Amino acid sequence: MNQPAHVALGLDFGTESVRALLADLNGNELASAVVPYEHGQITETLPGTGEKLPADFAFQHPSDWIEASAQAVRDAVAAAGLSGNEIIGIGVDFTSCTMLPALSDGTPLCLVPQWAAEKFAWPKLWKHHGAKTQTEKINELARARNEPWLARYGGIIGLEWFFPKMLETLEEAPDVYDATEVWLEAGDWYVWQLVDSPADKLPRSTCQAGYKGMWHSHDGFPSREFFAALHPKLENVVAEKLPGQFLAPGEAAGTLCASIAEKFGLPAGIPVSAATIDAHAGVPGAGAAGAGTLVMVMGTSSCHMLNADAEQNVPGVAGIVEGGILPGFFGYETGQAAVGDAFDWLRRTTGHANFDQLTAQAAQLPPGAEGVLCMDWFNGCRTPLMDGGLRGAFVGLTMNHGAGHMYRALMEGSAFGVRWIVDLLRENGVPVTGIVATGGLPHHNPLLVQIYADVLGLPITVHPSKQGPALGAAILGVLAADTDRKHFATTADAIAAMAGPRADDPSRAAKIVEPESDAQAAYENIYQRYRKLADVLVAEGF
């Protein structure tokens, strides 16, 4: 088999590992490699000191991002039988908001000996929930001042976002805040390391900033007056601690520097795209190039991304960013804070080694799990309530129910959460005309996809790629390299060629899961019970 002359590299940074995917310009996936982070999720104790971390804290080790991705790239290139010279562009997607404090030369503060034992010097993973108080302060102040940017985020700023985490450090460890010269998203830090630019030119992603940092392409960040009212030390935070240039995903951030190229086993000088959020990369990776298609990127948590032709304020959405997902559209982000990790929590809690028995039991049950109803807020609620402090619940349990009932109820609760999101968008004038599922979960759990289709009353297209975000990142890498449009005339052309399903190719054929009419009818009443349970739990402060 002749090796392709032009190959894209997509780097997909998840919660536990990084994936390197190599794809040619026809979208053929040549090879991929997954390498786990040596330190994994840092949620129990601080590396090097053994300090026990609070329950809501979640960190990562920045060295893991470089070392794991270097190994993944080497493994993928070797598996594909390539030399590395075929790679024309590199794209990066990253969990968000995962962020860190750094020095102006790019050194993460936690790797400076003076600060290594200070927990607030470490990168905060997206799921870090230590900034509850700070999130409340930001929201209260924004509402009191009637800040116009608040409407773009459904009227509420999320617990997992950039400035709550920064304010948490300022209030809890002011010395760490003072020592920080650059605050930035981990995706931006990683691309910064790849291209080795000076701090004032470090490439900041408009996607990450727009959805998680309250930034707008026309208005920038919130005003100095807002930040000063939030905390006196924040008045000039943008000028003092947020250097860099803003670039959209698919724009070239620079070229691969010699030191990282050596680690990767690649030639220096390969164009590198500005970073994007992992879920957002799943949209081009799922072949969605137009408006109206809700792309469910389903994994540990789920993000539901939608491009629309117009901007409509929707209460409870995580963000509306012009060009935030693809150029020419308004990108809407919604999401659920616990999906795959909630399923795994239930598996472990009920003592099952894997999902086989649980799935078999759940599949035998009718819609409604014989009276068991689940509220899926086991890591808080993103859309539509944007409240990380909310808790999940099972109701209707008796001693006649077992783990299979709970598992089915949990999957149904997850589906009801998506139904709520779709209803919310439509009620506020944002069309949802199709559903695409991507990520690993739809391929591993067909029962879940069927339940989703039944609850939504819509067919769900399962994209053939099991690594949609990585493929989307690879597409962005091509766009960063293809500045003269030698390969693709438009972004839509690149997406269609590299990620569009093909009926004539079994490996590229999409699976369509149709709703079953009886189950769809049964779920209408159960969904209304779910909504009533949500009202009760919120009212009672659970």
Side-chain angles (χ1 to χ4, degrees):
M1 176 180 175
N2 294 329
Q3 293 296 346
H6 303 296
V7 174
L9 169 61
L11 293 169
D12 172 31
F13 286 84
T15 303
E16 298 279 0
S17 61
V18 59
R19 179 187 302 275
L21 171 70
L22 295 167
D24 67 20
L25 302 196
N26 290 317
N28 299 307
E29 297 177 9
L30 307 177
S32 66
V34 177
V35 175
Y37 306 133
E38 178 182 349
H39 298 87
Q41 300 182 52
I42 301 171
T43 58
E44 300 295 331
T45 59
L46 199 66
T49 69
E51 177 187 353
K52 184 172 176 58
L53 296 174
D56 287 331
F57 279 46
F59 299 154
Q60 284 185 325
H61 198 303
S63 295
D64 288 349
W65 303 327
I66 297 293
E67 298 305 321
S69 61
Q71 186 63 55
V73 170
R74 287 180 175 274
D75 290 350
V77 169
L82 302 176
S83 68
N85 292 302
E86 304 89 346
I87 297 173
I88 64 168
I90 300 172
V92 175
D93 73 69
F94 220 104
T95 60
S96 181
C97 173
T98 295
M99 50 90 79
L100 71 157
L103 301 180
S104 59
D105 65 358
T107 304
L109 208 62
C110 66
L111 300 186
V112 177
Q114 177 185 354
W115 300 107
E118 169 52 68
K119 60 180 175 288
F120 284 101
W122 285 77
K124 293 173 181 173
L125 184 58
W126 65 268
K127 63 189 287 185
H128 175 88
H129 282 186
K132 293 185 176 68
T133 300
Q134 292 76 22
T135 305
E136 292 172 3
K137 287 183 179 180
I138 291 173
N139 281 308
E140 289 173 1
L141 179 62
R143 285 191 289 266
R145 290 173 52 89
N146 197 27
E147 291 287 341
W149 45 263
L150 193 60
R152 292 197 298 269
Y153 304 106
I156 189 166
I157 295 305
L159 170 62
E160 297 168 355
W161 291 14
F162 191 87
F163 284 104
K165 290 173 176 173
M166 180 194 288
L167 181 59
E168 179 194 16
T169 299
L170 174 54
E171 293 186 340
E172 300 295 332
D175 290 347
V176 173
Y177 177 85
D178 292 341
T180 300
E181 295 171 345
V182 179
W183 282 100
L184 74 171
E185 288 252 10
D188 292 337
W189 179 85
Y190 182 82
V191 171
W192 186 19
Q193 305 314 295
L194 263 55
V195 302
D196 193 25
S197 63
D200 65 338
K201 298 295 184 183
L202 80 85
R204 291 184 182 269
S205 164
T206 57
C207 176
Q208 293 176 151
Y211 286 104
K212 307 300 180 183
M214 297 133 64
W215 177 88
H216 188 268
S217 59
H218 302 299
D219 303 329
F221 290 107
S223 66
R224 288 176 55 193
E225 292 75 17
F226 172 80
F227 282 123
L230 186 60
H231 193 290
K233 278 193 173 184
L234 290 178
E235 180 176 4
N236 296 308
V237 64
V238 174
E240 294 174 351
K241 296 184 184 288
L242 297 174
Q245 58 180 331
F246 288 95
L247 298 170
E251 288 190 273
T255 59
L256 189 65
C257 69
S259 61
I260 299 296
E262 182 178 4
K263 280 182 172 289
F264 284 8
L266 300 178
I270 301 172
V272 179
S273 170
T276 191
I277 299 173
D278 53 350
H280 300 61
V283 176
T293 299
L294 186 78
V295 177
M296 304 187 299
V297 184
M298 301 171 66
T300 304
S301 64
S302 283
C303 282
H304 314 299
M305 319 303 302
L306 180 81
N307 281 310
D309 293 318
E311 182 176 14
Q312 303 282 352
N313 288 335
V314 181
V317 298
I320 309 167
V321 179
E322 186 175 2
I325 302 173
L326 292 175
F329 297 104
F330 291 90
Y332 290 73
E333 177 191 339
T334 71
Q336 293 169 286
V339 182
D341 58 351
F343 300 157
D344 196 55
W345 163 79
L346 181 64
R347 177 194 63 78
R348 290 182 282 106
T349 301
T350 56
H352 288 77
N354 55 54
F355 283 101
D356 293 347
Q357 186 179 17
L358 278 174
T359 301
Q361 292 173 353
Q364 296 300 313
L365 297 170
E370 295 183 337
V372 181
L373 184 63
C374 176
M375 183 53 60
D376 57 316
W377 297 339
F378 295 101
N379 198 23
C381 176
R382 283 187 192 157
T383 308
L385 302 179
M386 293 297 289
D387 188 343
L390 291 172
R391 299 186 180 190
F394 286 94
V395 299
L397 284 167
T398 72
M399 287 187 289
N400 294 319
H401 293 121
H405 293 84
M406 296 177 70
Y407 184 43
R408 178 158 190 125
L410 178 53
M411 287 189 286
E412 291 174 343
S414 180
F416 294 145
V418 179
R419 167 75 181 273
W420 195 350
I421 290 168
V422 171
D423 287 353
L424 189 72
L425 290 167
R426 288 173 166 172
E427 288 164 3
N428 287 276
V430 182
V432 180
T433 57
I435 308 283
V436 175
T438 186
L441 203 53
H443 293 275
H444 300 315
N445 196 333
L447 176 60
L448 176 68
V449 180
Q450 185 64 61
I451 291 172
Y452 271 42
D454 295 339
V455 168
L456 290 166
L458 290 170
I460 295 177
T461 299
V462 179
H463 191 268
S465 175
K466 297 180 180 179
Q467 39 210 24
L471 181 57
I475 293 170
L476 295 176
V478 171
L479 295 174
D482 196 21
T483 54
D484 58 0
R485 293 295 182 255
K486 179 175 64 176
H487 300 297
F488 300 109
T490 66
T491 298
D493 289 341
I495 293 171
M498 296 186 66
R502 293 181 184 171
D504 60 343
D505 183 350
S507 68
R508 296 280 294 273
K511 177 183 178 182
I512 299 177
V513 179
E514 297 283 353
E516 297 175 354
S517 57
D518 290 346
Q520 180 181 343
Y523 277 128
E524 285 299 320
N525 289 331
I526 304 169
Y527 171 62
Q528 298 305 322
R529 290 178 56 217
Y530 172 91
R531 293 290 300 271
K532 290 177 182 177
L533 177 61
D535 291 342
V536 170
L537 294 178
V538 171
E540 295 298 325
F542 279 94

